[in-house]
Amino acid sequence: MRLVIARCSVDYAGKLTAHLPMAPRLILIKADGSVSIHADDRAYKPLNWMNPPCSLREEPFEENGAVARWTVTHGKSGERLILTIEEVLHDTSHELGLDPGLQKDGVEAHLQELLAEHITTLGDGWSLIRREFPTAIGPVDILCRDAGNATVAVEIKRRGEIDGVEQLTRYLELLNRDPHLAPVRGIFAAQEIRPQARVLAVDRGIHCVTLDYDALRGIEHEGTLF
């Protein structure tokens, strides 16, 4: 990962246009080719970004006092991020290695195990395909089929936040590229789902399910469905 802190302006050129005026910003360039521009707020959300596949071209640029121009071009859409850099304050690269992935806490892991074992909790006639179904960006908690034999991806959280919906959205995008699985719809399941997360999920066609952990544990102990 390359981290650059620089005074820069950013122009997005695509279906729409957007401009960020000159200011100090953090630029993240990841090994997967993605580029994102951050300010010193907004937590994790970048001001602008380009997802892979994309390419970065760095070139000298001596107009209006700028020292360099970086052009990030998306390999499929042709959309561009143009960074005009006035001053580089920091530029360093780090090899992070293979990430072991998110480790779920005990409750989330047990919820996944219980729901997979009793998948008909989601509906009569449902069947499990696999827990931890692998994708290029990480495993889907549960992949299953509904009573109509349609594929369903289930993301499980203890507390449902917006980032969980975003995660499931990325999984669905990948899974729907597989003709053996598509069409794949999503279920966002949690003990508690925040209102903002529920609104985003509904907007993206994702169904929300509130899980009762104690009731699921009751299934485990009693061997009956509720």
Side-chain angles (χ1 to χ4, degrees):
M1 179 183 290
R2 183 179 174 190
L3 296 90
V4 179
I5 298 176
R7 278 189 55 82
C8 64
S9 63
V10 184
D11 290 278
Y12 166 76
K15 295 178 181 179
L16 302 172
T17 59
H19 174 72
L20 295 172
M22 191 69 68
R25 296 189 175 93
L26 169 64
I27 306 164
L28 294 182
I29 306 162
K30 295 187 177 181
D32 64 2
S34 62
V35 178
S36 56
I37 297 97
H38 297 259
D40 196 13
D41 63 0
R42 298 191 180 205
Y44 61 88
K45 188 174 182 180
L47 298 168
N48 216 326
W49 66 93
M50 188 72 74
N51 290 327
C54 57
S55 60
L56 169 63
R57 186 177 78 251
E58 302 179 38
E59 56 187 340
F61 185 72
E62 298 182 356
E63 295 182 19
N64 301 322
V67 297
R69 170 176 280 176
W70 294 4
T71 303
V72 186
T73 305
H74 194 272
K76 293 183 178 179
S77 67
E79 295 170 299
R80 294 180 300 154
L81 282 179
I82 302 168
L83 287 75
T84 303
I85 298 176
E86 188 176 84
E87 181 183 10
V88 176
L89 305 171
H90 179 83
D91 188 346
T92 185
S93 297
H94 302 273
E95 178 59 54
L96 301 186
L98 184 64
D99 191 271
L102 178 68
Q103 301 297 315
K104 290 183 175 292
D105 66 25
V107 172
E108 282 188 21
H110 199 205
L111 277 170
Q112 182 192 120
E113 179 184 345
L114 288 169
L115 192 57
E117 185 177 352
H118 303 285
I119 197 66
T120 52
T121 301
L122 296 176
D124 292 336
W126 287 49
S127 60
L128 177 70
I129 297 176
R130 177 174 172 175
R131 284 177 58 197
E132 300 288 338
F133 186 88
T135 76
I137 58 173
V140 178
D141 286 342
I142 291 177
L143 197 69
C144 57
R145 294 194 185 278
D146 64 17
N149 206 38
T151 311
V152 183
V154 184
E155 180 64 25
I156 298 171
K157 300 292 184 187
R158 186 166 60 85
R159 181 177 292 107
E161 308 272 5
I162 284 178
D163 57 351
V165 179
E166 296 282 10
Q167 182 181 0
L168 179 54
T169 300
R170 293 191 293 271
Y171 288 148
L172 290 171
E173 183 180 350
L174 281 179
L175 293 169
N176 274 298
R177 296 177 190 173
D178 186 337
H180 299 292
L181 298 174
V184 185
R185 63 186 178 93
I187 288 181
F188 188 53
Q191 288 180 277
E192 174 192 352
I193 300 176
R194 295 293 177 87
Q196 299 92 332
R198 191 179 294 274
V199 169
L200 180 61
V202 170
D203 182 68
R204 296 185 176 181
I206 294 170
H207 183 58
C208 292
V209 172
T210 302
L211 296 175
D212 187 329
Y213 184 45
D214 290 334
L216 280 170
R217 284 192 298 176
I219 292 175
E220 180 183 41
H221 296 316
E222 299 171 14
T224 60
L225 297 179
F226 63 95

